[in-house]
Amino acid sequence: MRIAVTGSSGKLGRATVDRLRSEGHEVAGFDLTGTAGVGFTRVDLADYGQTLDSMIGVTARHEGLDAVVHLAAIPVNGLVPDAATFQNNMTVSFNVVHAAMRAGIRRIVTASSITAMGFPFDEPPAALPIDESTTAANNTYALAKVAEEAMWAQLVRWEPEMSISSLRFTNVVAPDEYGTFVNASDPAYRRDLLFSYVDSRDGAAAVALALAHATPGFEIYDVAASDTGSAVPTAELAALHFPGVPLRPGLGEFETLMSIDKARARLGFEPEHLWRDGYAAHQLRA
């Protein structure tokens, strides 16, 4: 397919571009910054005219697209004022998906976030592992993600053949960042993320699978590693930080508390890059 990836210069964006190209797709990267070349076009996605034009075609880059992967965003609160985070991310997301619809593109994958599920989880979840049925926003970045998901659910009603898959990524870790897991023995490490993480390569694999398994309608999928980012057993973490919250029977010793059951069942998603392997390799290099 001919696929545009917005936010192509970001951590997950770079991994996604690499993954899709390795599968034989023609990829056009759209971002404010990036390396000039055949696979990249500088697009201000906050400008609807630029966004629509880039979806229809870009001379010397592409003559139309089959799919769009939307990853571009201000990635966290604090980089700009809170209202600006919400306003920018909502505007850009609307522009990208609405322009894709106007350009006749019917296969779209967007990045949502664990923040749309209650991060930093000061209010205990109803049960663990948490799944796609939980929606709660506690900052303006998360509020935009919740609003985007509601918007996608409405837009697919306008176009019966439209497929929008929203992937709720947890914290994305690049292959060279496993040194940060030196704190994994601390029971508080990654507590605000329910101790979760996902390797950027596995995040990219989830994108590729969502594109491959796209069906008309809107779906949300949680995307995380299959284990926690902690050296403390999962049941102990849950009992310490979320006492009284029901824990699914039969949970594995280090199994994630951000359920990926739906992505496994419907997309065939299975994380391949776990921090224990990556951290060991990092220590050897060090």
Side-chain angles (χ1 to χ4, degrees):
M1 293 185 290
R2 290 173 296 181
I3 305 169
V5 176
T6 72
S8 58
S9 299
K11 186 189 305 182
L12 181 58
R14 296 191 302 272
T16 297
V17 169
D18 290 344
R19 174 68 183 232
L20 295 177
R21 285 178 176 160
S22 75
E23 294 185 356
H25 301 295
E26 179 183 336
V27 181
F30 296 162
D31 210 333
L32 281 175
T33 61
T35 303
V38 174
F40 175 78
T41 298
R42 184 186 183 281
V43 182
D44 182 356
L45 297 167
D47 182 322
Y48 186 76
Q50 288 191 38
T51 306
L52 177 59
D53 198 28
S54 66
M55 296 293 172
I56 295 171
V58 180
T59 300
R61 296 295 184 265
H62 73 87
E63 297 177 348
L65 299 164
D66 300 306
V68 172
V69 176
H70 175 45
L71 307 178
I74 295 172
V76 292
N77 278 100
L79 300 179
V80 299
D82 292 342
T85 301
F86 179 85
Q87 292 165 353
N88 176 86
N89 289 356
M90 281 301 299
T91 297
V92 166
S93 291
F94 172 80
N95 286 353
V96 168
V97 175
H98 191 263
M101 291 175 64
R102 286 289 172 88
I105 301 163
R106 297 292 177 262
R107 192 179 305 225
I108 300 171
V109 174
T110 70
S112 188
S113 168
I114 189 175
T115 64
M117 306 170 75
F119 172 94
F121 302 99
D122 293 332
E123 301 172 45
L128 290 169
I130 198 168
D131 64 20
E132 291 84 356
S133 65
T134 298
T135 299
N138 292 313
N139 56 45
T140 58
Y141 175 83
L143 187 63
K145 292 302 184 186
V146 170
E148 288 168 16
E149 291 178 359
M151 184 162 57
W152 309 150
Q154 296 306 310
L155 289 181
V156 296
R157 296 175 50 252
W158 301 6
E159 294 289 348
E161 299 304 313
M162 173 76 70
S163 170
I164 303 179
S165 300
S166 194
L167 306 185
R168 284 179 171 176
F169 292 102
T170 185
N171 174 242
V172 177
V173 179
D176 62 355
E177 293 180 327
Y178 282 107
T180 63
F181 284 73
V182 67
N183 297 316
S185 295
D186 179 353
Y189 180 62
R190 293 183 174 269
R191 183 255 177 236
D192 58 348
L193 294 159
L194 295 180
F195 317 99
S196 64
Y197 73 100
V198 68
D199 189 286
S200 59
R201 294 163 293 183
D202 288 328
V207 170
L209 288 165
L211 287 169
H213 293 274
T215 55
F218 171 59
E219 292 289 347
I220 298 171
Y221 297 97
D222 291 350
V223 178
S226 54
D227 64 348
T228 66
S230 176
V232 180
T234 300
E236 292 182 27
L237 293 171
L240 176 64
H241 295 284
F242 303 103
V245 173
L247 194 63
R248 190 188 72 214
L251 198 70
E253 183 179 13
F254 295 107
E255 186 174 340
T256 178
L257 287 174
M258 182 176 173
S259 175
I260 57 172
D261 290 349
K262 182 178 178 181
R264 276 175 163 153
R266 299 195 186 182
L267 303 180
F269 174 63
E270 191 59 50
E272 295 181 356
H273 304 92
L274 304 183
W275 78 268
R276 290 164 175 82
D277 301 328
Y279 181 69
H282 172 83
Q283 291 298 93
L284 286 173
R285 288 194 300 272

